[in-house]
Amino acid sequence: MRLILLGPPGAGKGTQARRLVDCYGIVQLSTGDLLRESAAAGTPAGRKAHEIMARGDLVPDDMVVAIVAERIDRPDCAKGFILDGFPRTVGQAEALDRLLREKGVSLDAVIEFKVDESILVQRVENRVKEMAGRGETLRADDNPEALRHRLAAYRGQTAPLVDYYARKGLLLSVDGMLSIDQVTAEIESLLAPRKRVQADAGAGKPAQS
Ligand code: AMP
């Protein structure tokens, strides 16, 4: 299974990705996490990314695409992966199409999380409190100013991907305002037919509708 989770910051992509990892036995690739790792490593590229991320802007496409290209080539991605936070621009989506074509594989679905912007700020504030409560290092971009930029980046640069993937027949939408368990259930029921098709194909059986 190769999936993309699409939605604004605070929509619940990371939480649902971790659940899908358990359910399908595939890896979660969060470009935000990968960029934070490279920032923590302190390489020149990582330091540049850190500055951009702290403002809440998007890092350049070529940098993120290079990270994803290297990551999906690793053996643990052979069974599939969940892209969480990538692609975020049409340019990245086109680059991903090229990468997958070169590998001779394709996406199974793109799951869009539909969420009212008004609750996202509250959700991010809750995340900050929870992380602080666990004694974890807070993200440099979980503050009101950076969040405004992140939401603007989503609206301006990422939201057009909804149409991009709808035109390809890959888009599945879930109501991201529901409880965590309800969203998981919605995703699982949307993906069930695709999972069955894959299982049938693996067993050499014709797919059933
Ligand atoms: P996230 O952890 O997905 O919320 O991402 C945190 C930050 O990392 C974003 O606000 C961007 O600055 C950067 N980032 C993550 N993924 C991408 C991407 N696909 N393209 C550009 N910037 C990204």
Side-chain angles (χ1 to χ4, degrees):
M1 195 67 104
R2 286 175 214 90
L3 304 172
I4 289 175
L5 304 190
L6 191 62
K13 302 185 299 294
T15 303
Q16 296 299 333
R18 286 187 286 279
R19 290 182 164 207
L20 289 165
V21 163
D22 294 337
C23 178
Y24 293 101
I26 51 180
V27 286
Q28 172 192 9
L29 304 183
S30 152
T31 42
D33 285 348
L34 294 169
L35 286 163
R36 279 184 285 277
E37 275 168 28
S38 91
T43 59
R47 282 202 298 273
K48 182 179 161 205
H50 177 76
E51 261 177 50
I52 299 171
M53 291 164 76
R55 286 200 304 267
D57 293 327
L58 295 185
V59 308
D61 284 357
D62 53 357
M63 185 172 177
V64 195
V65 169
I67 290 176
V68 171
E70 189 274 326
R71 190 61 191 80
I72 63 175
D73 241 1
R74 295 202 206 154
D76 62 348
C77 287
K79 270 177 66 188
F81 47 76
I82 304 160
L83 291 169
D84 160 13
F86 179 91
R88 261 175 155 101
T89 65
V90 171
Q92 291 178 17
E94 289 169 348
L96 177 65
D97 285 344
R98 283 193 295 275
L99 279 175
L100 297 179
R101 217 172 19 247
E102 281 163 18
K103 290 173 74 65
V105 296
S106 55
L107 291 169
D108 292 286
V110 176
I111 301 168
E112 176 205 9
F113 289 63
K114 286 175 160 314
V115 188
D116 277 358
E117 234 183 63
S118 57
I119 73 148
L120 296 175
V121 176
Q122 186 60 49
R123 282 195 179 177
V124 172
E125 280 173 7
N126 290 347
R127 175 166 73 197
V128 169
K129 277 193 207 131
E130 285 166 15
M131 289 176 75
R134 292 194 297 265
E136 292 171 13
T137 312
L138 298 182
R139 286 173 49 159
D141 59 353
D142 271 348
N143 61 72
E145 179 61 23
L147 186 56
R148 250 195 307 280
H149 279 249
R150 289 159 65 199
L151 290 170
Y154 183 78
R155 258 183 260 120
Q157 291 167 272
T158 311
L161 294 179
V162 171
D163 281 345
Y164 181 90
Y165 287 116
R167 280 197 301 274
K168 290 177 180 284
L170 286 169
L171 193 75
L172 304 173
S173 297
V174 295
D175 179 355
M177 311 279 282
L178 298 173
S179 71
I180 293 175
D181 285 344
Q182 285 171 318
V183 175
T184 305
E186 245 196 71
I187 293 175
E188 286 180 357
S189 76
L190 286 170
L191 290 180
R194 295 174 196 236
K195 198 176 173 186
R196 201 166 53 231
V197 166
Q198 286 198 334
D200 288 344
K205 281 191 245 157
Q208 295 179 358
S209 57

